[in-house]
């Protein structure tokens, strides 16, 4: 990642666990986020990818202070969030906003659009009362909506319009980071490209940084500067988007790319299918992916591989990454 400046948002050794009661009455501990560290730089997009259940959304909720962390720390602009007071926490929430996956579920259905978009303006006292209506109209127009829609309720809008309202509300506080949790997966295919183009335009215009959660690798290839792959709560590969898609080094990363609609024409890999499911028969020792990995060896059962450099700016958690070598190029 960019080392010329300090990261805007820094996550260090983040851990979050939950206790679940089984059908037998026993309590089982589930680690949703396991020692995760990453940086989000100003004006850049870092994508978090992985199958459902890998911990992506839990990580996002922790960053939004919607879930308490168990250990580790989150820093914004050099300040540790867990140690700041109520006033500074309000500043953090003004600077770090979120766009959720479901545009209908994230909007209070009995509020009009004007009220929904105006709410953060009022909470953070960004503009005075008489200026709110004008600012709401400006925000709606900035996301491609007519100001006349301010009088409508969410159920009177299309899915794409509702997500545009969610984006208008997110940028109302003039944030520096927006966490996007699968922001287009609930939308019609015909609308997805429009919303992505809008997000990219806003990033250029406002200098936003995006923490972008997605399972769509074609989309990630298009918009991201950096990619982190999560598996059962851990980051197992981290690289620039260019390096990641040109030469994914973890067997799981290769499998994700090979089993998804191809990010680039001609892409093929040596793993076309990922066998099994996340969380099923999870190993208690060694590499968590080894029960699904065709390259698993004895060492994979003995110890958990650390996330370590395999190339400049390219980190991989795999005992056999060097041995397996570089995957074929995107165009190969």
């Amino acid at each position: 990642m960019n080392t010329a400046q300090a990261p805007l948002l820094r996550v260090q050794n983040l851990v979050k666990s939950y206790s679940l009661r089984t059908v037998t009455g026993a309590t089982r501990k589930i680690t949703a986020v396991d020692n995760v560290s990453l940086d989000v730089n100003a004006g850049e997009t870092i994508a978090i990818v992985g199958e459902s259940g890998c911990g992506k959304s839990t990580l996002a909720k922790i960053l939004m202070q919607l879930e308490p962390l168990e250990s580790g720390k989150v820093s914004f602009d050099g300040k540790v969030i867990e140690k700041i007071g109520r006033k500074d926490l309000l500043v953090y929430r003004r600077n770090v906003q979120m766009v959720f996956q479901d545009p209908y579920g994230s909007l209070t259905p009995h509020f009009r659009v004007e009220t929904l978009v105006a709410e953060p303006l009022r909470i953070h006292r960004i503009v005075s009362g008489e200026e709110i209506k004008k600012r709401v109209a400006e925000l709606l127009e900035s996301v491609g909506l007519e100001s006349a829609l301010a009088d409508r309720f969410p159920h009177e809008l299309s899915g794409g319009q509702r997500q545009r309202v969610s984006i208008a509300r997110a940028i109302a506080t003039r944030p520096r980071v927006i966490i996007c949790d699968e922001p287009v997966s609930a939308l019609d295919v015909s609308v997805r490209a429009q919303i992505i183009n809008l997000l990219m335009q806003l990033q250029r215009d406002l200098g936003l940084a995006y923490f972008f959660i997605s399972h769509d690798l074609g989309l990630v290839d298009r918009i991201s500067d950096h990619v982190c792959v999560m598996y059962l709560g851990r980051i197992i590969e981290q690289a620039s988007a260019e390096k990641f898609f040109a030469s994914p080094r973890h067997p799981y990363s290769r499998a994700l790319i090979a089993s998804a609609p191809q990010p680039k024409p001609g892409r093929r890999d040596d793993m076309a299918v990922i066998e099994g499911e996340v969380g099923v028969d999870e190993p208690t020792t060694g590499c968590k992916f080894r029960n699904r990995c065709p390259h698993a060896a004895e060492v994979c059962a003995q110890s958990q591989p650390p996330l370590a450099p395999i190339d400049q700016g390219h980190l991989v958690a795999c005992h056999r990454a060097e041995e397996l070598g570089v995957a074929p190029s995107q165009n190969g």
Side-chain angles (χ1 to χ4, degrees):
M1 292 188 182
N2 184 7
T3 57
Q5 58 182 348
L8 185 58
L9 183 65
R10 168 162 282 181
V11 174
Q12 295 173 280
N13 309 116
L14 213 61
V15 175
K16 175 64 178 180
S17 301
Y18 298 93
S19 294
L20 300 179
R21 190 174 296 277
T22 66
V23 292
T24 63
T27 300
R28 182 185 178 193
K29 184 178 181 181
I30 303 294
T31 303
V33 178
D34 189 0
N35 197 36
V36 167
S37 297
L38 55 85
D39 293 340
V40 181
N41 294 317
E44 295 185 340
T45 298
I46 181 168
I48 311 297
V49 303
E51 295 167 282
S52 296
C54 71
K56 306 186 301 292
S57 293
T58 300
L59 178 58
K61 290 176 182 178
I62 293 172
L63 295 182
M64 282 301 299
Q65 301 291 293
L66 299 176
E67 287 277 1
L69 56 81
E70 185 174 326
S71 63
K73 62 182 181 180
V74 178
S75 304
F76 177 78
D77 214 10
K79 291 185 178 180
V80 179
I81 304 307
E82 290 74 30
K83 295 181 180 179
I84 63 177
R86 180 179 176 84
K87 182 178 179 181
D88 284 336
L89 183 58
L90 194 64
V91 172
Y92 174 76
R93 285 181 168 157
R94 175 174 175 169
N95 279 284
V96 182
Q97 287 289 312
M98 188 165 184
V99 175
F100 294 89
Q101 178 177 0
D102 181 5
Y104 189 74
S106 63
L107 300 175
T108 306
H110 58 271
F111 284 174
R112 295 183 188 274
V113 168
E114 181 177 350
T115 302
L116 292 167
V117 178
E119 186 176 26
L121 298 174
R122 292 192 174 97
I123 290 173
H124 295 279
R125 300 177 182 178
I126 293 172
V127 294
S128 60
E130 59 270 18
E131 294 176 324
I132 286 180
K133 193 176 187 71
K134 178 183 177 183
R135 180 59 181 151
V136 168
E138 292 172 348
L139 286 165
L140 292 178
E141 290 171 1
S142 72
V143 297
L145 294 175
E146 296 179 1
S147 58
L149 293 179
D151 290 331
R152 295 192 185 181
F153 291 97
H155 73 271
E156 298 178 294
L157 305 176
S158 68
Q161 288 174 327
R162 286 194 288 264
Q163 195 64 302
R164 288 175 188 270
V165 170
S166 298
I167 295 170
R169 187 173 60 172
I171 65 172
T173 62
R174 300 185 179 94
R176 299 172 69 188
V177 179
I178 293 183
I179 298 171
C180 300
D181 188 359
E182 300 275 11
V184 298
S185 63
L187 303 177
D188 292 340
V189 174
S190 60
V191 179
R192 293 179 186 179
Q194 298 173 22
I195 298 300
I196 291 302
N197 287 339
L198 171 62
L199 289 171
M200 294 174 70
Q201 184 62 52
L202 290 172
Q203 183 174 48
R204 290 190 291 268
D205 293 345
L206 305 177
L208 296 167
Y210 288 141
F211 183 90
F212 199 93
I213 296 171
S214 181
H215 64 272
D216 185 338
L217 292 181
L219 173 58
V220 168
D221 188 21
R222 177 185 174 192
I223 70 164
S224 61
D225 296 293
H226 308 282
V227 178
C228 292
V229 181
M230 287 189 72
Y231 187 79
L232 288 175
R234 295 182 66 86
I235 291 179
I236 59 172
E237 184 158 7
Q238 184 172 334
S240 69
E242 182 180 3
K243 283 189 175 183
F244 175 76
F245 285 104
S247 57
R249 302 299 294 272
H250 197 285
Y252 180 64
S253 301
R254 296 185 186 187
L256 284 178
I257 293 174
S259 61
Q262 300 306 316
K264 291 184 178 179
R267 172 69 192 179
R268 290 295 182 268
D269 209 337
D270 57 353
M271 291 178 63
V273 178
I274 309 175
E275 300 291 344
E277 299 178 11
V278 172
V280 177
D281 298 325
E282 176 186 341
T284 56
T285 60
C287 175
K288 291 186 176 183
F289 183 60
R290 65 183 173 85
N291 284 356
R292 303 175 68 191
C293 181
H295 305 293
E298 184 177 350
V299 65
C300 304
Q302 295 173 349
S303 63
Q304 185 167 259
L307 186 65
I310 198 167
D311 192 4
Q312 186 175 2
H314 196 159
L315 308 177
V316 183
C318 177
H319 288 301
R320 302 191 64 195
E322 289 282 4
E323 178 185 348
L324 294 174
V326 180
S329 68
Q330 292 270 22
N331 298 319

